[in-house]
Amino acid sequence: MPGLEALDLARFQFAFTVSFHILFPAFSIGLASYLMILEGLWLKTGRDVYHNLYRFWVRIFAVAFGLGVVSGVVMAYQFGTNWSGFAERAGDITGVLLTYEVLTAFFLEAGFLGIMLFGEDRVGKRLHFFATCMVAIGTLISMTWILMSNSWMQTPSGYEIVDGRFEPANWLNIMFNPSFPYRIVHMGLAAFISVGFVVGGVGAYHLLRNRRDEAARKMFSMAMWAIVVALPLQIMAGDMHGLNTLEHQPAKVAAMEGHWENEPGSQGMPLVLFGLPDMDSASNRFEITVPHASSLILTHTWNGQIEGLKQWPRDEWPDVPLVFWTFRIMVGLGMLMLGIGLLGLFLRWKGRLYDSAWFHRAMMFATPVGFIALLTGWITTEAGRQPWVVYGMLRTADAVSPLHGGSLWASLIGFLLVYAIIFGIGIYYMVRLIRTEPMGQEPHGGPGENRQPKRPMSGADEAFEEQN
Amino acid sequence: MTIDLPLIWYFLIGFAVAMYVVMDGFSLGVGILYPFFKNDAHRDVMMNTTSPVWDGNQTWMILGGAGLYGAFPLAYATFLPALYLPLILMLLSLIFRGIAFEFRFKSTRSRKWFDLAFSGGSIVATFSQGMVLGGIINGLDVENRTFTGGPFDWFSPFALFIGVALIIGYALLGATWLIMKTEGSLQRRCYQLARPLTILMVLCTIIVGIWTPLDNSRVAERWFTFPNILWFSPVPVLVVLLAWSIWDGVTHSHERRLFLKVLGLFFLGLSGLVISYFPLIIPPNVTLWDAASSRSSQLFLVIGYAVLVPIVLSYTAYSYYVFRGKVREGDGYH
């Protein structure tokens, strides 16, 4: 079936490019706020360690920001290249939100990034701090618009259908649609936690090299605080987000739970810890369950019921195994991260936070955990709303561009190759930066340097290759 | 009387596209000219002239795309699938080019690869933009608000020619930009290149001027009927005058005015396009009112645009002001 093939290819290409892209904005969102805190603390306390940390992380921020910009250009065009049916029918709403993102966030970030990276010697401390704040706020504004758009697609409101197209009826209802508050809190915390684990992992790496390094201690300590504060909040936010999803997208929750049909009478819903969901037989194989636990979590009662997947026609089911498993990985990693945070708190209480090499090694391995949880969480929510692109209103199959399979193959191979090369280079360079001495970040500058370019990566001055 | 919002948006998006061509055109041109300069120090300076500003420049392309998406969803949803292959080629080239900006100055052994990424990325991105433009001029099949053509509908000798012509045009823009921003042997080489490039660009303009009405009876009808011909005749006359003036400027080493004059040529080309096709937004038969989004969308957007774009422009002007003046070898850019 050639039509199906084109749809699958378009979906895979979008999933690939957006998954790749999202890591870098998430990194920028968390790191920009961290930099804002570091510089604020430096201005307040005057302690050099904060300034050193700022200079250490601002170079890594610069590279991540550059990669986010480069992969983001692709995203701005993908809505039209691959999903023109969606763009034509929903452009009145989503196109407007995207344009506001460009106007309020992209230009703000671009405007102050130069001063943030190069302006330290020229504009004075306060104005420089202002620039850092503007960049951090820019990343948050950007997240706000794009999540408004995504949330509207998940829980559409404030529109009317005119000639088969979505026309705005109430902009406030569009922007502040039912799932938006939950989604933005969940995503924002996810970005902070992901960066917390990166900062913690890098701090751990430097502690293992040199326990006396003040900057390594400080970043490790700050990251452990951030993790232990943010994770309980995230679990609460996730629970509330889940209840909101149950209200507005019950089929998604049924897929997340592996819940096929309502139990008769008053048995209560078991929580499926493990199982292999099988869509053909509409059941889970090799189930391990906890009686009544799903009822407790989802309805907060002993025997409460939610709709099983069989309540919906077969062609309105999402890919159940994918949603089921990505959800479990996200939740499992969330619990693991909470455990690490509590362990860190315990070690701090025992006064052994900087001396436990085994814990530092564990933190190093845990560096990407936040990002993995973030990605699997996005897969849960995005795959879980299938087959709809605008939930309940527009099917993904009707949103796809009238493209030829050959075009899609060509572009997919192009993206795979180019992303492998480009992001290979970028990540290689970021790892090089991460391995430099955190305390060795002397401010540079002086005569002749007052015309620095406003390019993200010029914030880093390490050579690309190993120097012999 | 109600305000004709689609008409306003037609020009606002035209403005974003023009800003992009003006601002990224010369920096693409610098990459196109790379093969003519073998000296590594020259290449450093060339890249340094555009590196402070290229990032912001490219944001105009995003604004143009996003604005089209919000204000004319039908045009966005038609152009992008119809011109899929050249657009994807453009995006991939721009990725390579963007990454070269970041890494060229940090590389030693791998520098030749980043040189290639910069130059090749600029050339292929420009060629793709030209083919996109050619494809739009050729016209696209739209029925029931959906693109109904095939993956290679954009492909034609005319589109390929526009691709080549745009490479020449951006190269000339790049050369005059470099004349303004550099000095010494690098600048002299740019003066040498400017003249043949001017000749080629005028030739291309003439060929496009003949080819377009031959291919499109609608355009021919619009151009050659009385009294239109009276109104439109200043355009070719101005092209000739500007070309002569560029030639003269090269002889007399005018540094700044040359760049502005080449921009003038681009502006005339763009206005020629508008004259030929207005009020069509998707030739041959979709007008800007057909493709417009709802009034509420356009109104909501225009408010944001009116408030924010002046701020963006003032920042941009400030950034050009900060990086004003000549770029010299070994300038402390990196």
Side-chain angles (χ1 to χ4, degrees):
Chain A
M1 286 190 284
L4 185 68
E5 186 193 332
L7 175 62
D8 290 342
L9 283 170
R11 284 185 64 189
F12 183 77
Q13 179 171 313
F14 193 82
F16 171 73
T17 47
V18 78
S19 299
F20 231 103
H21 171 66
I22 196 176
L23 297 176
F24 296 101
F27 200 86
S28 305
I29 289 163
L31 208 50
S33 294
Y34 182 52
L35 288 167
M36 182 169 74
I37 293 167
L38 284 173
E39 192 171 17
L41 284 171
W42 177 57
L43 289 180
K44 195 162 181 277
T45 66
R47 288 180 58 191
D48 281 345
V49 61
Y50 292 118
H51 197 213
N52 268 298
L53 277 177
Y54 181 88
R55 299 204 60 85
F56 178 79
W57 282 105
V58 80
R59 304 165 313 145
I60 296 156
F61 173 77
V63 178
F65 192 90
L67 293 173
V69 168
V70 162
S71 55
V73 176
V74 176
M75 296 319 301
Y77 284 85
Q78 283 240 318
F79 303 115
T81 51
N82 286 13
W83 306 105
S84 62
F86 166 73
E88 201 270 310
R89 290 192 185 83
D92 285 36
I93 288 168
T94 53
V96 171
L97 297 177
L98 181 70
T99 308
Y100 263 100
E101 184 185 10
V102 179
L103 288 171
T104 57
F106 292 175
F107 280 117
L108 188 70
E109 290 167 332
F112 287 97
L113 189 70
I115 299 174
M116 178 181 173
L117 294 179
F118 313 108
E120 229 184 309
D121 308 322
R122 272 174 297 160
V123 293
K125 287 177 183 176
R126 279 175 185 281
L127 194 55
H128 187 263
F129 181 54
F130 178 76
T132 306
C133 293
M134 284 302 112
V135 172
I137 291 168
T139 63
L140 293 171
I141 294 176
S142 181
M143 173 176 77
T144 305
W145 288 111
I146 209 72
L147 281 188
M148 271 174 185
S149 182
N150 179 270
S151 301
W152 181 82
M153 290 159 68
Q154 302 265 5
T155 54
S157 63
Y159 63 89
E160 54 197 53
I161 301 281
V162 180
D163 300 331
R165 303 165 68 228
F166 296 89
E167 290 205 350
N170 182 332
W171 279 104
L172 282 177
N173 287 350
I174 289 167
M175 290 159 67
F176 301 98
N177 59 77
S179 67
F180 168 71
Y182 303 93
R183 223 173 275 280
I184 192 161
V185 171
H186 203 42
M187 175 64 192
L189 283 168
F192 292 138
I193 289 169
S194 302
V195 167
F197 270 86
V198 171
V199 173
V202 172
Y205 168 78
H206 286 288
L207 281 177
L208 284 167
R209 290 215 305 198
N210 175 12
R211 299 252 159 77
R212 299 266 145 255
D213 192 314
E214 197 193 352
R217 284 166 166 250
K218 183 55 79 181
M219 73 171 112
F220 190 69
S221 171
M222 290 177 85
M224 293 315 298
W225 276 127
I227 289 165
V228 82
V229 171
L231 265 149
L233 292 176
Q234 180 69 313
I235 290 168
M236 270 163 54
D239 179 55
M240 290 164 73
H241 183 26
L243 294 180
N244 176 264
T245 307
L246 179 63
E247 190 184 337
H248 296 280
Q249 299 176 304
K252 183 194 281 186
V253 174
M256 285 156 68
E257 295 289 319
H259 178 55
W260 302 92
E261 53 191 320
N262 295 352
E263 303 292 329
S266 57
Q267 285 181 13
M269 272 174 60
L271 175 69
V272 184
L273 286 181
F274 180 89
L276 299 179
D278 178 16
M279 293 177 73
D280 292 331
S281 67
S283 64
N284 303 322
R285 288 186 286 158
F286 310 110
E287 257 188 356
I288 300 171
T289 60
V290 181
H292 296 282
S294 257
S295 288
L296 275 179
I297 294 170
L298 289 171
T299 65
H300 296 190
T301 61
W302 186 243
N303 286 323
Q305 291 290 327
I306 67 163
E307 303 281 295
L309 274 166
K310 286 184 181 173
Q311 302 291 319
W312 288 275
R314 184 68 177 74
D315 69 345
E316 288 183 18
W317 292 3
D319 184 328
V320 182
L322 181 65
V323 176
F324 180 87
W325 274 108
T326 51
F327 178 61
R328 265 150 199 72
I329 294 169
M330 178 192 76
V331 172
L333 290 178
M335 294 302 158
L336 176 74
M337 291 189 282
L338 178 67
I340 291 173
L342 293 174
L343 203 57
L345 197 63
F346 175 74
L347 288 172
R348 193 194 298 272
W349 176 57
K350 287 280 171 193
R352 302 194 54 81
L353 188 64
Y354 305 118
D355 306 316
S356 308
W358 60 272
F359 186 63
H360 301 154
R361 249 173 246 122
M363 269 306 284
M364 263 181 69
F365 281 111
T367 303
V369 164
F371 282 115
I372 298 169
L374 188 148
L375 269 185
T376 47
W378 269 109
I379 294 170
T380 304
T381 199
E382 294 300 291
R385 52 102 159 248
Q386 296 301 326
W388 306 103
V389 62
V390 178
Y391 201 73
M393 301 300 298
L394 179 63
R395 280 177 182 267
T396 312
D398 299 323
V400 73
S401 299
L403 286 173
H404 203 259
S407 304
L408 281 158
W409 273 115
S411 62
L412 179 61
I413 291 167
F415 278 120
L416 288 171
L417 278 176
V418 171
Y419 276 41
I421 296 170
I422 296 308
F423 294 103
I425 292 171
I427 290 164
Y428 167 80
Y429 189 60
M430 279 169 84
V431 171
R432 272 186 58 79
L433 292 176
I434 279 171
R435 288 167 55 189
T436 56
E437 281 294 316
M439 277 312 273
Q441 304 304 321
E442 290 302 315
H444 63 316
E449 282 211 294
N450 59 347
R451 296 204 304 163
Q452 291 277 6
K454 292 180 174 172
R455 295 183 301 106
M457 284 186 207
S458 296
D461 45 17
E462 261 67 29
F464 180 65
E465 290 104 347
E466 303 272 355
Q467 296 300 302
N468 297 320
Chain B
M1 187 190 124
T2 52
I3 304 162
D4 192 347
L5 280 169
L7 187 67
I8 292 173
W9 271 105
Y10 180 80
F11 285 103
L12 286 182
I13 287 164
F15 176 72
V17 171
M19 282 298 283
Y20 174 73
V21 170
V22 166
M23 300 183 64
D24 212 28
F26 69 78
S27 79
L28 284 163
V30 168
I32 295 166
L33 291 174
Y34 244 39
F36 295 96
F37 295 82
K38 301 292 179 208
N39 182 330
D40 206 42
H42 281 174
R43 289 184 169 190
D44 278 355
V45 172
M46 287 164 76
M47 198 185 248
N48 272 338
T49 60
T50 76
S51 55
V53 289
W54 80 277
D55 220 10
N57 294 355
Q58 237 166 243
T59 312
W60 288 99
M61 186 177 74
I62 313 262
L63 183 63
L68 196 66
Y69 182 15
F72 299 103
L74 180 63
Y76 181 81
T78 304
F79 288 152
L80 272 65
L83 303 159
Y84 188 75
L85 291 171
L87 277 169
I88 296 285
L89 196 62
M90 177 188 84
L91 292 175
L92 294 176
S93 321
L94 288 177
I95 291 179
F96 272 114
R97 182 170 167 273
I99 223 74
F101 266 108
E102 306 296 354
F103 284 113
R104 182 175 184 277
F105 290 97
K106 299 179 179 63
S107 60
T108 48
R109 290 190 297 275
S110 54
R111 176 167 283 205
K112 62 176 184 297
W113 294 106
F114 290 115
D115 273 350
L116 185 68
F118 180 59
S119 180
S122 301
I123 291 168
V124 177
T126 304
F127 187 58
S128 315
Q129 286 178 6
M131 290 194 295
V132 165
L133 180 62
I136 294 173
I137 294 174
N138 276 340
L140 303 165
D141 294 331
V142 181
E143 277 168 36
N144 294 323
R145 305 184 70 84
T146 308
F147 172 65
T148 51
F152 288 97
D153 275 16
W154 53 272
F155 186 88
S156 68
F158 181 75
L160 293 184
F161 181 78
I162 298 282
V164 174
L166 199 62
I167 291 178
I168 292 165
Y170 280 174
L172 178 60
L173 204 53
T176 51
W177 164 260
L178 287 170
I179 287 171
M180 189 165 74
K181 297 293 285 186
T182 65
E183 56 197 6
S185 58
L186 173 56
Q187 192 195 41
R188 276 197 296 282
R189 183 90 181 95
C190 292
Y191 272 121
Q192 285 167 8
L193 287 168
R195 193 155 277 170
L197 284 170
T198 307
I199 297 172
L200 284 173
M201 181 157 175
V202 171
L203 271 177
C204 288
T205 312
I206 292 169
I207 292 171
V208 171
I210 296 168
W211 200 338
T212 311
L214 283 180
D215 243 18
N216 297 280
S217 52
R218 176 190 287 267
V219 174
E221 197 182 318
R222 177 164 294 188
W223 284 11
F224 300 121
T225 49
F226 194 83
N228 287 356
I229 198 161
L230 286 182
W231 295 107
F232 300 159
S233 53
V235 174
V237 172
L238 283 172
V239 168
V240 171
L241 282 176
L242 263 180
W244 177 81
S245 155
I246 291 168
W247 186 274
D248 185 59
V250 172
T251 314
H252 295 98
S253 299
H254 289 159
E255 292 194 346
R256 292 193 192 167
R257 269 176 280 165
L258 271 177
F259 179 67
L260 296 177
K261 284 171 188 168
V262 179
L263 281 184
L265 279 183
F266 272 87
F267 178 76
L268 286 176
L270 204 62
S271 61
L273 206 61
V274 173
I275 285 172
S276 308
Y277 287 99
F278 185 86
L280 294 179
I281 194 163
I282 314 169
N285 50 28
V286 181
T287 71
L288 57 105
W289 297 283
D290 297 334
S293 60
S294 64
R295 191 169 168 81
S296 161
S297 299
Q298 295 208 328
L299 191 64
F300 185 53
L301 264 184
V302 89
I303 295 165
Y305 208 95
V307 174
L308 294 160
V309 166
I311 299 172
V312 169
L313 283 174
S314 55
Y315 159 70
T316 307
Y318 176 72
S319 132
Y320 275 77
Y321 170 78
V322 168
F323 298 106
R324 69 194 177 280
K326 298 277 187 191
V327 179
R328 297 182 178 84
E329 279 183 34
D331 256 357
Y333 262 34
H334 300 277

